[in-house]
Amino acid sequence: MKKYNKMYASVDYSSLRIDGTQKFELSSHPHKVSLLYENKSHYRGLIGDLRDEIDDLQNMMYAHDRYGMLLIFQAMDAAGKDGTIRHVLSGVNPHGLEIHSFKKPSTRELDHDFMWRTNRFMPQRGRIGVFNRSYYEEVLVVKVHPNILTDYQRVPRELTQNLEQVWAQRYDDIRNMELYLHRNGIRVMKFFLNLSRDEQRERFLSRLNRPEKNWKFSEADVKERQHWNKYMEAYQDCISATATEYAPWYVIPADDKKNMRLMVGTLVLEEMRKLDIRYPVVSEERKADFERYRQMLMND
C-alpha cells in the first residue's frame, strides 16, 4: 500500500477463510470486528491505496494473460454487495474487469441447466470477473423455496423426489466446476457478507425513511426476511459443502460497510500478489524494431 499503509486495527484474516479443512459453523463468525480505520479520511486513503495496487496487478495480469480471477459475492439483502464491488474495484481498468449481476432468472435461463446463465460469463484469462449473486442462488434461494425446482425450473419430478440428494448433487457439480476453473488458471474467491438480522432491519428502515433511498426498497426483501433462519441454515450447509482449498469462502463481518470493503479489498490484493505474473519480456530482436520505430516517429 502506498500512503495509508497502516490499518487502525488488525484482523486475523485466516479466521475469515473457510477452505473445508475444519468444521464450519456460521454462528461462530462475528458480524462486527474492531474498526480498521480512524475516520472517513483515513478510510478513503486506505481503500484508494488498495484500489491502486489491485489495478496495477490487474494490468500485469492482463499483459501476462495466463491467470484470471472470479470473485463471487453472496449475502442477504442490504448487506452491501453493490457498494463493496464499487468501492473495491472502481479503480480497475475496464478492459480487465467484467461485472455481472444475476437477478430473477428469465424464461430462457430457466430452460437451461442451473449453471448455464452464469457459466456464459466466466472471465477470460487476464481479467477479473465479478458475480453479484451467482450459481449459489440455486442452493440458497431454491433450497429455501424448493417449489422453484418443479414450478419454475421444471426439473422432472422423478429427479426432485429426494431433495437432500438434489442439494448434494448440486454441491458436487459446483465443486467440480470450480476445480475445473482452477485447473485452467482461473482463481475463485467467494465472499459471504455476514450481515446481522438487526442491521438488515435498520438498513431496510433507512430505505423507507430516506426519500433518496426509497427506490432501493422492495417488498420482496421484507418477505424473504421472514425466512432468515432457513437462509442461515442454507448458507451454513452451502459453505460447508463447497469450501475447498482451490475455491475458498471468506465470511466477512458486514455490519460496518467500510470495514467490510477494506477486508474484501485486502483479501483480493493478497490473492493477486500470490499469482506468478509478470510483464512479458521483449526479445532483443523486438527491441531493435522498437528503436527503428522510435527513430521513425522522432523524424516524422
Side-chain angles (χ1 to χ4, degrees), residues 115-147:
M115 286 195 286
W116 179 83
R117 70 170 181 155
T118 51
N119 283 356
R120 293 185 301 149
F121 300 108
M122 288 298 175
Q124 298 171 246
R125 292 189 183 92
R127 292 175 170 83
I128 298 174
V130 181
F131 285 0
N132 184 342
R133 301 189 187 276
S134 67
Y135 45 84
Y136 279 101
E137 295 291 283
E138 305 300 332
V139 290
L140 294 168
V141 175
V142 179
K143 189 171 185 180
V144 174
H145 301 286
N147 64 299

PDB file of all heavy atoms in Angstrom, residues 115-147:
ATOM      1  N   MET A 115     -26.543 -23.942 -13.979  1.00  0.00           N
ATOM      2  CA  MET A 115     -25.352 -23.086 -14.031  1.00  0.00           C
ATOM      3  C   MET A 115     -25.150 -22.416 -15.378  1.00  0.00           C
ATOM      4  O   MET A 115     -24.179 -21.681 -15.573  1.00  0.00           O
ATOM      5  CB  MET A 115     -24.108 -23.892 -13.645  1.00  0.00           C
ATOM      6  CG  MET A 115     -24.023 -24.184 -12.159  1.00  0.00           C
ATOM      7  SD  MET A 115     -22.388 -24.747 -11.610  1.00  0.00           S
ATOM      8  CE  MET A 115     -22.389 -26.431 -12.247  1.00  0.00           C
ATOM      9  N   TRP A 116     -26.073 -22.623 -16.302  1.00  0.00           N
ATOM     10  CA  TRP A 116     -25.901 -22.100 -17.659  1.00  0.00           C
ATOM     11  C   TRP A 116     -25.807 -20.584 -17.685  1.00  0.00           C
ATOM     12  O   TRP A 116     -24.933 -20.009 -18.348  1.00  0.00           O
ATOM     13  CB  TRP A 116     -27.065 -22.559 -18.543  1.00  0.00           C
ATOM     14  CG  TRP A 116     -26.991 -22.049 -19.958  1.00  0.00           C
ATOM     15  CD1 TRP A 116     -26.269 -22.584 -20.979  1.00  0.00           C
ATOM     16  CD2 TRP A 116     -27.676 -20.913 -20.492  1.00  0.00           C
ATOM     17  NE1 TRP A 116     -26.460 -21.840 -22.134  1.00  0.00           N
ATOM     18  CE2 TRP A 116     -27.319 -20.817 -21.852  1.00  0.00           C
ATOM     19  CE3 TRP A 116     -28.559 -19.960 -19.957  1.00  0.00           C
ATOM     20  CZ2 TRP A 116     -27.809 -19.808 -22.682  1.00  0.00           C
ATOM     21  CZ3 TRP A 116     -29.045 -18.961 -20.782  1.00  0.00           C
ATOM     22  CH2 TRP A 116     -28.670 -18.891 -22.130  1.00  0.00           C
ATOM     23  N   ARG A 117     -26.679 -19.911 -16.955  1.00  0.00           N
ATOM     24  CA  ARG A 117     -26.732 -18.453 -17.085  1.00  0.00           C
ATOM     25  C   ARG A 117     -25.477 -17.780 -16.527  1.00  0.00           C
ATOM     26  O   ARG A 117     -25.112 -16.697 -16.969  1.00  0.00           O
ATOM     27  CB  ARG A 117     -27.981 -17.883 -16.416  1.00  0.00           C
ATOM     28  CG  ARG A 117     -28.027 -17.936 -14.906  1.00  0.00           C
ATOM     29  CD  ARG A 117     -29.199 -17.106 -14.430  1.00  0.00           C
ATOM     30  NE  ARG A 117     -29.322 -17.082 -12.984  1.00  0.00           N
ATOM     31  CZ  ARG A 117     -29.906 -16.100 -12.313  1.00  0.00           C
ATOM     32  NH1 ARG A 117     -30.423 -15.070 -12.951  1.00  0.00           N
ATOM     33  NH2 ARG A 117     -29.997 -16.137 -11.000  1.00  0.00           N
ATOM     34  N   THR A 118     -24.804 -18.424 -15.570  1.00  0.00           N
ATOM     35  CA  THR A 118     -23.570 -17.851 -15.033  1.00  0.00           C
ATOM     36  C   THR A 118     -22.345 -18.321 -15.811  1.00  0.00           C
ATOM     37  O   THR A 118     -21.397 -17.552 -16.005  1.00  0.00           O
ATOM     38  CB  THR A 118     -23.411 -18.213 -13.547  1.00  0.00           C
ATOM     39  OG1 THR A 118     -23.585 -19.627 -13.377  1.00  0.00           O
ATOM     40  CG2 THR A 118     -24.427 -17.480 -12.697  1.00  0.00           C
ATOM     41  N   ASN A 119     -22.356 -19.569 -16.267  1.00  0.00           N
ATOM     42  CA  ASN A 119     -21.188 -20.091 -16.984  1.00  0.00           C
ATOM     43  C   ASN A 119     -20.919 -19.339 -18.285  1.00  0.00           C
ATOM     44  O   ASN A 119     -19.782 -19.313 -18.775  1.00  0.00           O
ATOM     45  CB  ASN A 119     -21.361 -21.581 -17.278  1.00  0.00           C
ATOM     46  CG  ASN A 119     -21.109 -22.436 -16.045  1.00  0.00           C
ATOM     47  OD1 ASN A 119     -20.740 -21.929 -14.994  1.00  0.00           O
ATOM     48  ND2 ASN A 119     -21.324 -23.736 -16.170  1.00  0.00           N
ATOM     49  N   ARG A 120     -21.939 -18.708 -18.832  1.00  0.00           N
ATOM     50  CA  ARG A 120     -21.747 -17.923 -20.055  1.00  0.00           C
ATOM     51  C   ARG A 120     -20.833 -16.722 -19.830  1.00  0.00           C
ATOM     52  O   ARG A 120     -20.286 -16.166 -20.787  1.00  0.00           O
ATOM     53  CB  ARG A 120     -23.101 -17.413 -20.575  1.00  0.00           C
ATOM     54  CG  ARG A 120     -24.036 -18.499 -21.083  1.00  0.00           C
ATOM     55  CD  ARG A 120     -25.280 -17.865 -21.668  1.00  0.00           C
ATOM     56  NE  ARG A 120     -26.005 -17.052 -20.699  1.00  0.00           N
ATOM     57  CZ  ARG A 120     -26.720 -15.969 -21.003  1.00  0.00           C
ATOM     58  NH1 ARG A 120     -26.775 -15.545 -22.247  1.00  0.00           N
ATOM     59  NH2 ARG A 120     -27.375 -15.317 -20.067  1.00  0.00           N
ATOM     60  N   PHE A 121     -20.695 -16.322 -18.564  1.00  0.00           N
ATOM     61  CA  PHE A 121     -19.967 -15.090 -18.264  1.00  0.00           C
ATOM     62  C   PHE A 121     -18.702 -15.327 -17.450  1.00  0.00           C
ATOM     63  O   PHE A 121     -18.201 -14.413 -16.797  1.00  0.00           O
ATOM     64  CB  PHE A 121     -20.896 -14.125 -17.509  1.00  0.00           C
ATOM     65  CG  PHE A 121     -22.118 -13.745 -18.280  1.00  0.00           C
ATOM     66  CD1 PHE A 121     -23.362 -14.243 -17.924  1.00  0.00           C
ATOM     67  CD2 PHE A 121     -22.030 -12.906 -19.372  1.00  0.00           C
ATOM     68  CE1 PHE A 121     -24.496 -13.900 -18.633  1.00  0.00           C
ATOM     69  CE2 PHE A 121     -23.160 -12.549 -20.090  1.00  0.00           C
ATOM     70  CZ  PHE A 121     -24.405 -13.053 -19.735  1.00  0.00           C
ATOM     71  N   MET A 122     -18.174 -16.534 -17.505  1.00  0.00           N
ATOM     72  CA  MET A 122     -16.927 -16.794 -16.804  1.00  0.00           C
ATOM     73  C   MET A 122     -15.810 -15.918 -17.379  1.00  0.00           C
ATOM     74  O   MET A 122     -15.750 -15.691 -18.584  1.00  0.00           O
ATOM     75  CB  MET A 122     -16.543 -18.270 -16.926  1.00  0.00           C
ATOM     76  CG  MET A 122     -17.423 -19.202 -16.117  1.00  0.00           C
ATOM     77  SD  MET A 122     -17.317 -18.832 -14.344  1.00  0.00           S
ATOM     78  CE  MET A 122     -18.538 -19.973 -13.697  1.00  0.00           C
ATOM     79  N   PRO A 123     -14.924 -15.410 -16.528  1.00  0.00           N
ATOM     80  CA  PRO A 123     -13.898 -14.471 -17.011  1.00  0.00           C
ATOM     81  C   PRO A 123     -12.858 -15.132 -17.900  1.00  0.00           C
ATOM     82  O   PRO A 123     -12.530 -16.309 -17.741  1.00  0.00           O
ATOM     83  CB  PRO A 123     -13.258 -13.961 -15.712  1.00  0.00           C
ATOM     84  CG  PRO A 123     -13.493 -15.061 -14.720  1.00  0.00           C
ATOM     85  CD  PRO A 123     -14.839 -15.627 -15.074  1.00  0.00           C
ATOM     86  N   GLN A 124     -12.358 -14.348 -18.821  1.00  0.00           N
ATOM     87  CA  GLN A 124     -11.230 -14.784 -19.648  1.00  0.00           C
ATOM     88  C   GLN A 124      -9.944 -14.679 -18.829  1.00  0.00           C
ATOM     89  O   GLN A 124      -9.879 -13.986 -17.816  1.00  0.00           O
ATOM     90  CB  GLN A 124     -11.113 -13.890 -20.876  1.00  0.00           C
ATOM     91  CG  GLN A 124     -12.304 -13.914 -21.803  1.00  0.00           C
ATOM     92  CD  GLN A 124     -12.202 -12.841 -22.859  1.00  0.00           C
ATOM     93  OE1 GLN A 124     -12.978 -11.902 -22.904  1.00  0.00           O
ATOM     94  NE2 GLN A 124     -11.220 -12.979 -23.738  1.00  0.00           N
ATOM     95  N   ARG A 125      -8.910 -15.355 -19.292  1.00  0.00           N
ATOM     96  CA  ARG A 125      -7.603 -15.158 -18.689  1.00  0.00           C
ATOM     97  C   ARG A 125      -7.197 -13.690 -18.834  1.00  0.00           C
ATOM     98  O   ARG A 125      -7.472 -13.060 -19.845  1.00  0.00           O
ATOM     99  CB  ARG A 125      -6.563 -16.057 -19.347  1.00  0.00           C
ATOM    100  CG  ARG A 125      -6.768 -17.540 -19.065  1.00  0.00           C
ATOM    101  CD  ARG A 125      -5.574 -18.354 -19.565  1.00  0.00           C
ATOM    102  NE  ARG A 125      -5.791 -19.785 -19.355  1.00  0.00           N
ATOM    103  CZ  ARG A 125      -6.324 -20.597 -20.246  1.00  0.00           C
ATOM    104  NH1 ARG A 125      -6.703 -20.119 -21.418  1.00  0.00           N
ATOM    105  NH2 ARG A 125      -6.498 -21.874 -19.982  1.00  0.00           N
ATOM    106  N   GLY A 126      -6.555 -13.183 -17.820  1.00  0.00           N
ATOM    107  CA  GLY A 126      -6.131 -11.795 -17.831  1.00  0.00           C
ATOM    108  C   GLY A 126      -7.151 -10.835 -17.256  1.00  0.00           C
ATOM    109  O   GLY A 126      -6.861  -9.650 -17.091  1.00  0.00           O
ATOM    110  N   ARG A 127      -8.329 -11.336 -16.930  1.00  0.00           N
ATOM    111  CA  ARG A 127      -9.404 -10.462 -16.447  1.00  0.00           C
ATOM    112  C   ARG A 127      -9.927 -10.919 -15.086  1.00  0.00           C
ATOM    113  O   ARG A 127      -9.798 -12.068 -14.707  1.00  0.00           O
ATOM    114  CB  ARG A 127     -10.545 -10.421 -17.460  1.00  0.00           C
ATOM    115  CG  ARG A 127     -10.188  -9.720 -18.757  1.00  0.00           C
ATOM    116  CD  ARG A 127     -11.308  -9.825 -19.762  1.00  0.00           C
ATOM    117  NE  ARG A 127     -11.090  -8.969 -20.920  1.00  0.00           N
ATOM    118  CZ  ARG A 127     -10.338  -9.286 -21.960  1.00  0.00           C
ATOM    119  NH1 ARG A 127      -9.742 -10.471 -21.986  1.00  0.00           N
ATOM    120  NH2 ARG A 127     -10.174  -8.457 -22.969  1.00  0.00           N
ATOM    121  N   ILE A 128     -10.541  -9.967 -14.404  1.00  0.00           N
ATOM    122  CA  ILE A 128     -11.254 -10.249 -13.159  1.00  0.00           C
ATOM    123  C   ILE A 128     -12.745 -10.257 -13.472  1.00  0.00           C
ATOM    124  O   ILE A 128     -13.283  -9.275 -13.989  1.00  0.00           O
ATOM    125  CB  ILE A 128     -10.964  -9.187 -12.081  1.00  0.00           C
ATOM    126  CG1 ILE A 128      -9.477  -9.165 -11.724  1.00  0.00           C
ATOM    127  CG2 ILE A 128     -11.792  -9.455 -10.829  1.00  0.00           C
ATOM    128  CD1 ILE A 128      -9.099  -8.039 -10.757  1.00  0.00           C
ATOM    129  N   GLY A 129     -13.397 -11.367 -13.199  1.00  0.00           N
ATOM    130  CA  GLY A 129     -14.842 -11.455 -13.338  1.00  0.00           C
ATOM    131  C   GLY A 129     -15.490 -11.349 -11.960  1.00  0.00           C
ATOM    132  O   GLY A 129     -14.986 -11.919 -10.993  1.00  0.00           O
ATOM    133  N   VAL A 130     -16.572 -10.603 -11.869  1.00  0.00           N
ATOM    134  CA  VAL A 130     -17.277 -10.412 -10.602  1.00  0.00           C
ATOM    135  C   VAL A 130     -18.723 -10.849 -10.776  1.00  0.00           C
ATOM    136  O   VAL A 130     -19.405 -10.381 -11.696  1.00  0.00           O
ATOM    137  CB  VAL A 130     -17.229  -8.936 -10.152  1.00  0.00           C
ATOM    138  CG1 VAL A 130     -17.946  -8.766  -8.811  1.00  0.00           C
ATOM    139  CG2 VAL A 130     -15.787  -8.447 -10.049  1.00  0.00           C
ATOM    140  N   PHE A 131     -19.160 -11.732  -9.905  1.00  0.00           N
ATOM    141  CA  PHE A 131     -20.558 -12.165  -9.892  1.00  0.00           C
ATOM    142  C   PHE A 131     -21.243 -11.602  -8.648  1.00  0.00           C
ATOM    143  O   PHE A 131     -20.882 -11.938  -7.526  1.00  0.00           O
ATOM    144  CB  PHE A 131     -20.661 -13.691  -9.866  1.00  0.00           C
ATOM    145  CG  PHE A 131     -20.363 -14.371 -11.174  1.00  0.00           C
ATOM    146  CD1 PHE A 131     -20.030 -13.638 -12.307  1.00  0.00           C
ATOM    147  CD2 PHE A 131     -20.413 -15.760 -11.270  1.00  0.00           C
ATOM    148  CE1 PHE A 131     -19.751 -14.269 -13.515  1.00  0.00           C
ATOM    149  CE2 PHE A 131     -20.142 -16.400 -12.469  1.00  0.00           C
ATOM    150  CZ  PHE A 131     -19.811 -15.657 -13.590  1.00  0.00           C
ATOM    151  N   ASN A 132     -22.201 -10.722  -8.864  1.00  0.00           N
ATOM    152  CA  ASN A 132     -23.056 -10.226  -7.801  1.00  0.00           C
ATOM    153  C   ASN A 132     -24.261 -11.174  -7.730  1.00  0.00           C
ATOM    154  O   ASN A 132     -25.179 -11.089  -8.518  1.00  0.00           O
ATOM    155  CB  ASN A 132     -23.502  -8.801  -8.114  1.00  0.00           C
ATOM    156  CG  ASN A 132     -24.325  -8.180  -7.010  1.00  0.00           C
ATOM    157  OD1 ASN A 132     -24.855  -8.876  -6.138  1.00  0.00           O
ATOM    158  ND2 ASN A 132     -24.458  -6.872  -7.035  1.00  0.00           N
ATOM    159  N   ARG A 133     -24.221 -12.087  -6.794  1.00  0.00           N
ATOM    160  CA  ARG A 133     -25.021 -13.305  -6.754  1.00  0.00           C
ATOM    161  C   ARG A 133     -24.502 -14.228  -7.870  1.00  0.00           C
ATOM    162  O   ARG A 133     -23.767 -13.793  -8.752  1.00  0.00           O
ATOM    163  CB  ARG A 133     -26.523 -13.058  -6.872  1.00  0.00           C
ATOM    164  CG  ARG A 133     -27.087 -12.156  -5.780  1.00  0.00           C
ATOM    165  CD  ARG A 133     -28.604 -12.132  -5.827  1.00  0.00           C
ATOM    166  NE  ARG A 133     -29.169 -11.161  -4.916  1.00  0.00           N
ATOM    167  CZ  ARG A 133     -29.400 -11.380  -3.608  1.00  0.00           C
ATOM    168  NH1 ARG A 133     -29.080 -12.557  -3.084  1.00  0.00           N
ATOM    169  NH2 ARG A 133     -29.928 -10.446  -2.855  1.00  0.00           N
ATOM    170  N   SER A 134     -24.897 -15.487  -7.846  1.00  0.00           N
ATOM    171  CA  SER A 134     -24.250 -16.442  -8.748  1.00  0.00           C
ATOM    172  C   SER A 134     -25.043 -17.735  -8.806  1.00  0.00           C
ATOM    173  O   SER A 134     -26.200 -17.808  -8.374  1.00  0.00           O
ATOM    174  CB  SER A 134     -22.827 -16.729  -8.236  1.00  0.00           C
ATOM    175  OG  SER A 134     -22.901 -17.437  -6.994  1.00  0.00           O
ATOM    176  N   TYR A 135     -24.379 -18.788  -9.304  1.00  0.00           N
ATOM    177  CA  TYR A 135     -24.980 -20.126  -9.303  1.00  0.00           C
ATOM    178  C   TYR A 135     -25.269 -20.612  -7.883  1.00  0.00           C
ATOM    179  O   TYR A 135     -26.033 -21.569  -7.706  1.00  0.00           O
ATOM    180  CB  TYR A 135     -24.063 -21.116 -10.027  1.00  0.00           C
ATOM    181  CG  TYR A 135     -22.599 -21.019  -9.676  1.00  0.00           C
ATOM    182  CD1 TYR A 135     -22.074 -21.664  -8.564  1.00  0.00           C
ATOM    183  CD2 TYR A 135     -21.728 -20.274 -10.473  1.00  0.00           C
ATOM    184  CE1 TYR A 135     -20.723 -21.576  -8.248  1.00  0.00           C
ATOM    185  CE2 TYR A 135     -20.379 -20.179 -10.164  1.00  0.00           C
ATOM    186  CZ  TYR A 135     -19.884 -20.831  -9.053  1.00  0.00           C
ATOM    187  OH  TYR A 135     -18.553 -20.734  -8.733  1.00  0.00           O
ATOM    188  N   TYR A 136     -24.714 -19.974  -6.876  1.00  0.00           N
ATOM    189  CA  TYR A 136     -25.011 -20.375  -5.494  1.00  0.00           C
ATOM    190  C   TYR A 136     -26.459 -20.071  -5.102  1.00  0.00           C
ATOM    191  O   TYR A 136     -26.972 -20.652  -4.134  1.00  0.00           O
ATOM    192  CB  TYR A 136     -24.030 -19.720  -4.527  1.00  0.00           C
ATOM    193  CG  TYR A 136     -22.724 -20.460  -4.467  1.00  0.00           C
ATOM    194  CD1 TYR A 136     -21.605 -19.996  -5.151  1.00  0.00           C
ATOM    195  CD2 TYR A 136     -22.610 -21.658  -3.771  1.00  0.00           C
ATOM    196  CE1 TYR A 136     -20.406 -20.702  -5.132  1.00  0.00           C
ATOM    197  CE2 TYR A 136     -21.425 -22.373  -3.753  1.00  0.00           C
ATOM    198  CZ  TYR A 136     -20.329 -21.890  -4.432  1.00  0.00           C
ATOM    199  OH  TYR A 136     -19.166 -22.605  -4.403  1.00  0.00           O
ATOM    200  N   GLU A 137     -27.116 -19.186  -5.833  1.00  0.00           N
ATOM    201  CA  GLU A 137     -28.538 -18.972  -5.575  1.00  0.00           C
ATOM    202  C   GLU A 137     -29.330 -20.272  -5.711  1.00  0.00           C
ATOM    203  O   GLU A 137     -30.381 -20.446  -5.086  1.00  0.00           O
ATOM    204  CB  GLU A 137     -29.093 -17.934  -6.560  1.00  0.00           C
ATOM    205  CG  GLU A 137     -28.514 -16.541  -6.411  1.00  0.00           C
ATOM    206  CD  GLU A 137     -28.967 -15.871  -5.123  1.00  0.00           C
ATOM    207  OE1 GLU A 137     -30.119 -15.400  -5.069  1.00  0.00           O
ATOM    208  OE2 GLU A 137     -28.160 -15.818  -4.170  1.00  0.00           O
ATOM    209  N   GLU A 138     -28.805 -21.198  -6.523  1.00  0.00           N
ATOM    210  CA  GLU A 138     -29.508 -22.450  -6.792  1.00  0.00           C
ATOM    211  C   GLU A 138     -29.445 -23.433  -5.630  1.00  0.00           C
ATOM    212  O   GLU A 138     -30.130 -24.465  -5.660  1.00  0.00           O
ATOM    213  CB  GLU A 138     -28.932 -23.097  -8.053  1.00  0.00           C
ATOM    214  CG  GLU A 138     -28.933 -22.201  -9.273  1.00  0.00           C
ATOM    215  CD  GLU A 138     -30.320 -21.749  -9.675  1.00  0.00           C
ATOM    216  OE1 GLU A 138     -31.284 -22.492  -9.405  1.00  0.00           O
ATOM    217  OE2 GLU A 138     -30.447 -20.639 -10.246  1.00  0.00           O
ATOM    218  N   VAL A 139     -28.595 -23.147  -4.628  1.00  0.00           N
ATOM    219  CA  VAL A 139     -28.589 -23.971  -3.412  1.00  0.00           C
ATOM    220  C   VAL A 139     -28.862 -23.105  -2.185  1.00  0.00           C
ATOM    221  O   VAL A 139     -28.672 -23.545  -1.054  1.00  0.00           O
ATOM    222  CB  VAL A 139     -27.251 -24.729  -3.245  1.00  0.00           C
ATOM    223  CG1 VAL A 139     -27.129 -25.821  -4.297  1.00  0.00           C
ATOM    224  CG2 VAL A 139     -26.059 -23.782  -3.305  1.00  0.00           C
ATOM    225  N   LEU A 140     -29.341 -21.882  -2.427  1.00  0.00           N
ATOM    226  CA  LEU A 140     -29.713 -20.981  -1.335  1.00  0.00           C
ATOM    227  C   LEU A 140     -31.198 -20.630  -1.453  1.00  0.00           C
ATOM    228  O   LEU A 140     -32.026 -21.184  -0.736  1.00  0.00           O
ATOM    229  CB  LEU A 140     -28.833 -19.723  -1.370  1.00  0.00           C
ATOM    230  CG  LEU A 140     -27.344 -19.966  -1.078  1.00  0.00           C
ATOM    231  CD1 LEU A 140     -26.511 -18.743  -1.423  1.00  0.00           C
ATOM    232  CD2 LEU A 140     -27.137 -20.352   0.387  1.00  0.00           C
ATOM    233  N   VAL A 141     -31.533 -19.748  -2.386  1.00  0.00           N
ATOM    234  CA  VAL A 141     -32.940 -19.382  -2.580  1.00  0.00           C
ATOM    235  C   VAL A 141     -33.775 -20.615  -2.927  1.00  0.00           C
ATOM    236  O   VAL A 141     -34.868 -20.812  -2.389  1.00  0.00           O
ATOM    237  CB  VAL A 141     -33.069 -18.321  -3.697  1.00  0.00           C
ATOM    238  CG1 VAL A 141     -34.537 -18.040  -3.989  1.00  0.00           C
ATOM    239  CG2 VAL A 141     -32.347 -17.047  -3.297  1.00  0.00           C
ATOM    240  N   VAL A 142     -33.243 -21.443  -3.817  1.00  0.00           N
ATOM    241  CA  VAL A 142     -34.009 -22.616  -4.240  1.00  0.00           C
ATOM    242  C   VAL A 142     -34.155 -23.614  -3.098  1.00  0.00           C
ATOM    243  O   VAL A 142     -35.179 -24.306  -2.993  1.00  0.00           O
ATOM    244  CB  VAL A 142     -33.352 -23.270  -5.473  1.00  0.00           C
ATOM    245  CG1 VAL A 142     -34.130 -24.506  -5.909  1.00  0.00           C
ATOM    246  CG2 VAL A 142     -33.276 -22.272  -6.626  1.00  0.00           C
ATOM    247  N   LYS A 143     -33.177 -23.680  -2.223  1.00  0.00           N
ATOM    248  CA  LYS A 143     -33.288 -24.584  -1.073  1.00  0.00           C
ATOM    249  C   LYS A 143     -34.332 -24.081  -0.086  1.00  0.00           C
ATOM    250  O   LYS A 143     -35.067 -24.868   0.510  1.00  0.00           O
ATOM    251  CB  LYS A 143     -31.933 -24.731  -0.380  1.00  0.00           C
ATOM    252  CG  LYS A 143     -31.924 -25.829   0.684  1.00  0.00           C
ATOM    253  CD  LYS A 143     -30.523 -26.099   1.194  1.00  0.00           C
ATOM    254  CE  LYS A 143     -30.541 -27.294   2.152  1.00  0.00           C
ATOM    255  NZ  LYS A 143     -29.179 -27.600   2.675  1.00  0.00           N
ATOM    256  N   VAL A 144     -34.410 -22.768   0.086  1.00  0.00           N
ATOM    257  CA  VAL A 144     -35.427 -22.194   0.976  1.00  0.00           C
ATOM    258  C   VAL A 144     -36.814 -22.308   0.347  1.00  0.00           C
ATOM    259  O   VAL A 144     -37.811 -22.481   1.053  1.00  0.00           O
ATOM    260  CB  VAL A 144     -35.082 -20.727   1.295  1.00  0.00           C
ATOM    261  CG1 VAL A 144     -36.204 -20.058   2.089  1.00  0.00           C
ATOM    262  CG2 VAL A 144     -33.774 -20.660   2.086  1.00  0.00           C
ATOM    263  N   HIS A 145     -36.875 -22.234  -0.986  1.00  0.00           N
ATOM    264  CA  HIS A 145     -38.153 -22.334  -1.712  1.00  0.00           C
ATOM    265  C   HIS A 145     -38.045 -23.467  -2.737  1.00  0.00           C
ATOM    266  O   HIS A 145     -37.941 -23.227  -3.950  1.00  0.00           O
ATOM    267  CB  HIS A 145     -38.459 -21.015  -2.417  1.00  0.00           C
ATOM    268  CG  HIS A 145     -38.550 -19.839  -1.508  1.00  0.00           C
ATOM    269  ND1 HIS A 145     -39.621 -19.617  -0.664  1.00  0.00           N
ATOM    270  CD2 HIS A 145     -37.675 -18.814  -1.289  1.00  0.00           C
ATOM    271  CE1 HIS A 145     -39.424 -18.503   0.013  1.00  0.00           C
ATOM    272  NE2 HIS A 145     -38.251 -17.993  -0.331  1.00  0.00           N
ATOM    273  N   PRO A 146     -38.082 -24.723  -2.308  1.00  0.00           N
ATOM    274  CA  PRO A 146     -37.837 -25.849  -3.221  1.00  0.00           C
ATOM    275  C   PRO A 146     -38.872 -26.013  -4.326  1.00  0.00           C
ATOM    276  O   PRO A 146     -38.609 -26.706  -5.312  1.00  0.00           O
ATOM    277  CB  PRO A 146     -37.830 -27.060  -2.282  1.00  0.00           C
ATOM    278  CG  PRO A 146     -38.559 -26.617  -1.051  1.00  0.00           C
ATOM    279  CD  PRO A 146     -38.274 -25.158  -0.915  1.00  0.00           C
ATOM    280  N   ASN A 147     -40.024 -25.358  -4.194  1.00  0.00           N
ATOM    281  CA  ASN A 147     -41.013 -25.449  -5.269  1.00  0.00           C
ATOM    282  C   ASN A 147     -40.496 -24.829  -6.563  1.00  0.00           C
ATOM    283  O   ASN A 147     -41.026 -25.112  -7.656  1.00  0.00           O
ATOM    284  CB  ASN A 147     -42.316 -24.749  -4.857  1.00  0.00           C
ATOM    285  CG  ASN A 147     -42.136 -23.250  -4.653  1.00  0.00           C
ATOM    286  OD1 ASN A 147     -41.364 -22.824  -3.790  1.00  0.00           O
ATOM    287  ND2 ASN A 147     -42.837 -22.459  -5.439  1.00  0.00           N
TER     288      ASN A 147
END
